[in-house]
């Protein structure tokens, strides 16, 4: 391995229902089709050295998914972006490719910004539920995991939560109705707090239950930005991974990609 390439890609449309395993298979096939000189692991069953970080849950769209590809000869990141994007199925779109420098990509993904559209939901009721959620010290929710039910605090991971009003269509009905749009910045903790956990918390603290399935999109993920309060671009080599303004080369401490 002579170079690491960090890739940002989007998961759009019907591809949001694709599992992470199926997406990884599609990426491996696309890498071979594009002729990218990917490195392979040693042993009896070599695997391409492609690693993923912070994958969104199945059923969720995303504009900020990340992976790394180890290659055996130096490649032009822009050419890799074009070739890989052309080789992937529609709905999996490569947005950016940069050369990785130092550090671990997973360590830079500290938080995600989510948008949740709730067609048919009353924005005023959603806003009141959000205020009650933010005012609570803890909001205990329960999620079924492979090891059985697990209870955890959904409130502590949420840095910001706002509600806007829009319009949307409820599936199967066709007419436009008022739509509550939730925007939130959620820190990556263990256990992970997902958008559906926050919706469960809104129901517990305020009885808020949307009349239709939520439409969830991850807008961004990266290091927390002390200025905006949201995630910064993890592919930006001039961004301090601890948040704040971009650093100069002399100030950077472990922030290079």
């Amino acid at each position: 391995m002579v170079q690491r390439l960090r890739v940002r890609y989007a998961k759009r449309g019907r591809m949001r229902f694709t599992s992470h395993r199926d997406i990884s298979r599609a990426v491996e096939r696309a890498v071979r089709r594009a002729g990218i000189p990917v490195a392979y692991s040693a042993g009896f069953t070599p695997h391409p050295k492609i690693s993923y970080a912070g994958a969104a849950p199945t059923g969720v769209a995303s504009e900020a998914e990340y992976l790394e590809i180890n290659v055996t000869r130096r490649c032009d990141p822009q050419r890799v972006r074009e070739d890989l994007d052309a080789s992937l199925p529609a709905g999996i779109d490569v947005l950016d490719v940069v050369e990785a420098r130092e550090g671990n990509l997973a360590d830079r993904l500290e938080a995600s910004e989510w948008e949740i559209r709730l067609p048919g939901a009353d924005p005023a009721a959603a806003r009141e539920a959000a205020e009650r959620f933010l005012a609570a010290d803890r909001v205990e929710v329960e999620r079924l995991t492979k090891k059985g039910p697990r209870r955890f605090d959904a409130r502590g991971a949420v840095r910001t939560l706002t509600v806007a009003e829009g319009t949307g269509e409820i599936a199967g009905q066709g007419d436009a109705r008022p739509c509550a749009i939730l925007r939130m910045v959620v820190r990556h903790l263990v256990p992970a707090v997902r958008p559906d956990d926050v919706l469960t918390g809104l129901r517990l603290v305020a009885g808020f239950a949307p009349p239709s399935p939520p439409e969830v999109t991850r807008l961004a993920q990266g290091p927390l930005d002390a200025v905006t309060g949201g995630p910064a671009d993890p592919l930006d080599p001039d961004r301090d991974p601890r948040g704040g303004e971009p650093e100069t080369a002399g100030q950077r401490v472990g922030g290079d990609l």
Side-chain angles (χ1 to χ4, degrees):
M1 189 272 291
V2 301
Q3 185 185 32
R4 280 187 302 151
L5 298 173
R6 289 183 176 169
V7 179
R8 173 170 56 226
Y9 66 96
K11 186 173 64 164
R12 296 166 171 160
R14 291 185 297 176
M15 280 297 170
R16 70 184 185 274
F17 298 112
T18 306
S19 70
H20 175 63
R21 178 174 296 182
D22 287 337
I23 286 179
S24 65
R25 289 171 179 163
V27 169
E28 290 180 16
R29 289 194 294 267
V31 165
R32 292 195 297 268
R33 192 177 299 119
I36 298 171
V38 62
Y40 281 81
S41 62
F44 291 104
T45 56
H47 297 285
K49 289 189 175 182
I50 304 174
S51 57
Y52 300 81
T58 302
V60 171
S62 177
E63 295 294 315
E65 300 296 285
Y66 293 92
L67 61 85
E68 283 190 346
I69 304 174
N70 295 343
V71 294
T72 57
R73 68 172 184 267
R74 299 196 65 82
C75 300
D76 175 28
Q78 179 61 24
R79 179 65 181 273
V80 169
R81 191 203 70 77
E82 294 171 356
D83 292 346
L84 186 59
D85 185 55
S87 301
L88 283 164
I92 303 178
D93 303 317
V94 179
L95 305 178
D96 198 9
V97 178
V98 301
E99 180 178 358
R101 300 176 189 171
E102 299 177 358
N104 188 319
L105 175 60
D107 292 340
R108 298 179 66 84
L109 304 182
E110 298 175 343
S112 290
E113 181 180 2
W114 300 94
E115 179 183 271
I116 306 177
R117 299 183 67 89
L118 303 172
D122 180 9
R127 192 171 293 109
E128 180 182 354
E131 292 172 355
R132 292 189 182 184
F133 181 89
L134 292 174
D137 294 328
R138 290 178 61 87
V139 179
E140 293 280 343
V141 301
E142 185 176 283
R143 185 202 305 157
L144 184 62
T145 68
K146 294 180 180 179
K147 297 182 179 180
R150 183 171 186 179
R151 292 190 63 84
F152 56 93
D153 174 33
R155 171 64 186 91
V158 179
R159 285 178 59 94
T160 64
L161 174 59
T162 61
V163 179
E165 183 174 353
T167 58
E169 294 183 0
I170 298 178
Q173 299 188 18
D175 56 330
R177 299 190 179 188
C179 174
I181 304 173
L182 278 60
R183 284 279 189 96
M184 65 184 76
V185 174
V186 182
R187 294 172 59 207
H188 296 173
L189 302 179
V190 179
V193 174
R194 305 186 309 201
D196 55 310
D197 298 321
V198 177
L199 290 178
T200 299
L202 297 180
R203 177 175 55 82
L204 293 175
V205 300
F208 177 73
S212 61
E215 301 169 4
V216 184
T217 302
R218 172 149 55 193
L219 302 177
Q221 63 171 326
L224 279 168
D225 192 312
V227 176
T228 66
D233 182 1
L235 300 187
D236 181 0
D238 295 323
R239 172 68 63 177
D240 181 353
R242 297 163 299 177
E245 293 297 324
E247 297 179 303
T248 64
Q251 295 174 322
R252 197 175 302 141
V253 182
D256 282 348
L257 289 171

